[in-house]
Amino acid sequence: MCGYTSIMQLQDVKKIAQLARISVPDEELESIAKDMDSILGYIKQIEEVSVDSPIGESALINCVREDIVSNETGLYTDSILALAPHRDGNFVKVKKIL
Amino acid sequence: MIDLKTLTIEKAHESFVKGEFTVRELVDAYLVQIKEKNETYNAYLEVFNDINEQVIRAEEMFLNNTATILTGVPFAIKDNILIQGHVASAASKILENYVSTYDATIIQLLKKQGVIFLGRANMDEFAMGSSTQTSAFGVSRNPHDESRVPGGSSGGSAVAVAGDMALVSIGTETCGSVRQPASFCGLVGLKPTYGSFSRNGLIAMGNSLDQPAPFTKTVAEAEIMFKILSQFDPLDATSISVENRVLKHSQISKKIGVPRNFLNQGGLDQRVLENFEQGLQKLRDAGYEIVDLVMPELEYSLAVYYIVMPAEVSTNLSRFDGIRYGHSSPGDDLLEVYMKSRGEGFGKEARRRILLGTYILSHGYHDAYYNKAVSLRNKIKQSLDKAFETVDAIATPTTPTPAFKLGEKMDDPVAMYLCDIFSAPANLAEIPAIAIPSGKTEDGLPLSFQLMAPRLREDVLFSIGKEFEQRV
């Protein structure tokens, strides 16, 4: 396309994929960069319009409930653990972290 | 022989009460249709194996006089809504074998009514798409023309009702995912006010936008569904409280606004425009005054949506990591397990949106994209609030075009996203909107008329909608 400058470079896609914890095969990088470019090109139109007020964070309220146990202990343990890919007794098994 | 084509919730209930047919006979009639058609149309990913028990429970409710208008009514449920003991995969490989450990609140409400869940309906993966072509389990086809898409993301739910494979179905909306397939399949689709239906037990896509939403054949049935499912739920932090649901009834002006500047967006099909003008004339005939509105903010709706939604998607979908549930790929260390599980488990569109959201929220772009989009979203809300000071409702076509061909738009994400241009304002502004069938093209493709109303004023949509429907 004439006058077209791409926003996303292949190394940008690689970097974002790393941050998002998603493996992307090398042969797919180009098509993802192209798609992201066209989407970013579309959403860039918001630059045309000015907004006077920054977002009012004061309007946000905390709606987290008190941290109290509301279920009978163990009620869901089995059904939840049954879904774990790797299980060891009543634990979810993962690769060594440290 | 039960005439499924013209069957409604009210007619089915009346027939159950009068003994014209039983719940079992109706369910069997739908199961015959599913057996005949599902292979072609792929409305259902699974037909449940506990239907017999559900039928027995519903028939008991009729025997002990505890039956309600929905008792025994056969439903299709979108695959991102949790039903305890059943798989809910969101049409994704990453959740292919995920079994729900609890019922979504709306499922609990429907179970109390004694409805029959026939099965789980196909959808775009994680509700990301406008054509049901991103499902990991195959495309669904439009019952009006099997070479065309049914729309999406709740395509399977739409096909189930339009193809007489369920009487009613439940989908979910983030940006038109019920109204757009309702439009493509000739159904009524109601997107309720944000916070009116509980989101507890839905597989989240964009939390500030998501709402469960019903597909029906008529406006009156959408009203029945709204009355049953619009309930405060303490398990949903954004559910509207009981006291805030009390309406201060405002004056009805009998005026409907048309944001003319907004209609030029998204490549509006001439047939759609002509049909829309005819729809406006129907409302004039019903005694409404049609006024033109100038609402420049609406033109940015879809761009704002494609910033807010991916940002929320990238956050929400971080929970799928191959550790606690879902697809897990082996790796040498924890990072490799995450990277491979997510890379292999998510389809292309889901990956694309997660990456886009990660980019938008990353350092240096957060202000330019996300914060600005949130400010613009407020502007869109204010602009709609202001318009509703002078009009009862705002009308647009539901979609810029009728149903398109399978395979079309798949390599052009922006063209696909533009299908939802007229849907975005209602989701962003948390207001209710309804898609109502408004006729067909010469080659038999359904067309649709959209009405939007102020927050919690679904009653306005139902009353105008019924008048509109009678004149189609």
Side-chain angles (χ1 to χ4, degrees):
Chain A
M1 202 189 296
C2 183
Y4 179 82
T5 48
S6 70
I7 308 168
M8 298 303 288
Q9 306 298 327
L10 294 193
Q11 67 263 32
D12 297 329
V13 178
K14 262 188 183 165
K15 168 83 176 141
I16 296 162
Q18 183 75 21
L19 290 171
R21 302 284 188 258
I22 292 183
S23 64
V24 177
D26 281 348
E27 61 273 19
E28 237 184 69
L29 288 172
E30 201 150 328
S31 80
I32 290 180
K34 185 177 142 269
D35 288 348
M36 285 183 72
D37 252 6
S38 92
I39 300 164
L40 290 168
Y42 179 76
I43 64 181
K44 260 172 91 76
Q45 60 176 287
I46 69 160
E47 287 174 2
E48 298 162 8
V49 54
S50 69
V51 285
D52 10 270
S53 56
I55 40 167
E57 295 219 8
S58 59
L60 303 175
I61 52 159
N62 185 358
C63 54
V64 177
R65 71 162 170 81
E66 288 301 308
D67 186 18
I68 43 169
V69 179
S70 52
N71 297 319
E72 191 188 316
T73 306
L75 190 60
Y76 295 102
T77 308
D78 268 336
S79 54
I80 289 171
L81 278 169
L83 294 164
H86 304 287
R87 176 182 180 173
D88 186 355
N90 267 1
F91 295 96
V92 173
K93 208 170 149 184
V94 297
K95 288 273 172 195
K96 200 171 144 192
I97 292 172
L98 285 175
Chain B
M1 208 36 196
I2 306 170
D3 180 13
L4 299 178
K5 265 272 158 278
T6 61
L7 194 66
T8 60
I9 295 174
E10 302 97 309
K11 282 188 201 164
H13 180 69
E14 205 186 308
S15 298
F16 291 152
V17 171
K18 285 188 181 160
E20 288 167 355
F21 52 78
T22 64
V23 173
R24 187 172 299 279
E25 283 164 345
L26 181 61
V27 167
D28 286 346
Y30 281 115
L31 291 174
V32 167
Q33 295 293 314
I34 294 170
K35 207 168 175 190
E36 257 174 40
K37 296 177 185 165
N38 200 53
E39 205 182 312
T40 307
Y41 293 99
N42 201 22
Y44 287 96
L45 295 176
E46 180 191 356
V47 176
F48 292 146
N49 57 11
D50 60 354
I51 293 174
N52 187 40
E53 289 89 317
Q54 297 185 59
V55 169
I56 292 169
R57 232 175 299 137
E59 292 196 321
E60 271 168 12
M61 286 174 76
F62 276 99
L63 286 175
N64 24 354
N65 288 320
T66 52
T68 70
I69 183 128
L70 281 188
T71 306
V73 170
F75 274 67
I77 304 291
K78 191 175 179 180
D79 192 33
N80 60 351
I81 302 173
L82 271 50
I83 307 176
Q84 189 171 14
H86 286 294
V87 168
S89 79
S92 179
K93 286 265 177 232
I94 210 163
L95 285 178
E96 188 168 8
N97 301 310
Y98 176 78
V99 179
S100 305
T101 52
Y102 65 98
D103 280 329
T105 299
I106 58 161
I107 293 298
Q108 275 177 13
L109 291 172
L110 292 174
K111 278 187 175 174
K112 265 188 218 149
Q113 304 286 324
V115 313
I116 312 294
F117 301 122
L118 294 177
R120 54 191 177 95
N122 197 16
M123 56 186 279
D124 280 298
E125 183 181 5
F126 281 102
M128 298 176 191
S130 308
S131 63
T132 315
Q133 295 180 98
T134 72
S135 168
F137 309 110
V139 300
S140 295
R141 289 169 184 273
N142 193 316
H144 294 271
D145 176 349
E146 60 182 75
S147 71
R148 289 176 190 270
V149 302
S153 67
S154 312
S157 300
V159 176
V161 177
D164 298 322
M165 292 180 266
L167 182 48
V168 185
S169 64
I170 305 288
T172 60
E173 270 249 5
T174 310
C175 182
S177 276
V178 164
R179 282 167 288 159
Q180 187 253 19
S183 167
F184 284 8
C185 293
L187 298 172
V188 171
L190 171 71
K191 194 294 259 187
T193 302
Y194 181 78
S196 61
F197 289 14
S198 169
R199 292 183 296 112
N200 174 51
L202 262 56
I203 298 174
M205 173 177 162
N207 313 52
S208 76
L209 304 148
D210 293 343
Q211 273 289 288
F215 287 95
T216 57
K217 293 196 197 83
T218 62
V219 175
E221 293 171 281
E223 189 173 11
I224 293 171
M225 293 308 302
F226 178 76
K227 284 185 175 150
I228 286 163
L229 296 180
S230 179
Q231 307 278 347
F232 168 66
D233 181 12
L235 296 176
D236 173 355
T238 54
S239 180
I240 300 170
S241 66
V242 176
E243 52 279 20
N244 284 339
R245 285 173 193 253
V246 181
L247 285 180
K248 292 176 273 172
H249 262 274
S250 56
Q251 192 79 31
I252 297 281
S253 66
K254 284 277 227 181
K255 279 187 192 163
I256 294 169
V258 179
R260 287 281 169 193
N261 63 299
F262 184 45
L263 298 190
N264 308 326
Q265 309 271 306
L268 186 64
D269 188 301
Q270 194 56 31
R271 295 168 296 176
V272 173
L273 182 62
E274 278 164 24
N275 179 267
F276 177 66
E277 298 295 348
Q278 288 161 11
L280 293 176
Q281 189 53 45
K282 290 184 175 79
L283 292 174
R284 283 191 199 98
D285 296 343
Y288 289 92
E289 186 188 337
I290 308 296
V291 293
D292 284 356
L293 301 171
V294 181
M295 303 178 77
E297 298 82 1
L298 293 192
E299 294 174 17
Y300 298 100
S301 300
L302 197 69
V304 168
Y305 172 75
Y306 270 94
I307 295 169
V308 173
M309 176 275 296
E312 295 185 15
V313 161
S314 72
T315 316
N316 270 321
L317 271 60
S318 64
R319 76 191 63 181
F320 303 107
D321 58 4
I323 304 294
R324 289 161 301 154
Y325 50 78
H327 171 83
S328 185
S329 310
D332 291 338
D333 55 21
L334 199 58
L335 183 64
E336 201 185 342
V337 174
Y338 292 152
M339 302 277 295
K340 281 173 66 184
S341 300
R342 290 163 64 75
E344 290 166 13
F346 288 128
K348 193 177 175 198
E349 181 68 17
R351 274 182 283 147
R352 187 154 67 192
R353 293 197 194 189
I354 293 169
L355 297 180
L356 193 64
T358 306
Y359 176 75
I360 283 166
L361 290 176
S362 63
H363 183 69
Y365 299 100
H366 191 282
D367 272 344
Y369 288 114
Y370 186 74
N371 287 355
K372 179 131 188 209
V374 172
S375 299
L376 266 173
R377 182 178 183 178
N378 285 335
K379 269 194 126 167
I380 291 165
K381 257 186 216 172
Q382 286 159 7
S383 145
L384 284 159
D385 285 348
K386 192 157 170 275
F388 287 129
E389 287 172 10
T390 54
V391 297
D392 297 331
I394 294 173
T396 69
T398 306
T399 54
T401 68
F404 48 88
K405 294 267 186 191
L406 285 159
E408 222 177 282
K409 303 183 202 279
M410 279 306 274
D411 47 8
D412 186 351
V414 173
M416 183 69 87
Y417 297 170
L418 282 168
C419 301
D420 293 314
I421 181 111
F422 300 135
S423 303
N427 295 84
L428 291 171
E430 308 182 356
I431 60 173
I434 196 165
I436 309 166
S438 58
K440 285 183 177 175
T441 62
E442 274 173 18
D443 42 356
L445 299 175
L447 296 166
S448 175
F449 193 87
Q450 171 174 247
L451 288 163
M452 296 176 250
R455 281 182 93 239
L456 291 167
R457 294 309 303 270
E458 278 82 356
D459 61 317
V460 172
L461 301 180
F462 300 141
S463 84
I464 305 174
K466 283 177 202 167
E467 292 188 85
F468 183 89
E469 201 174 42
Q470 281 171 10
R471 289 174 166 78
V472 174

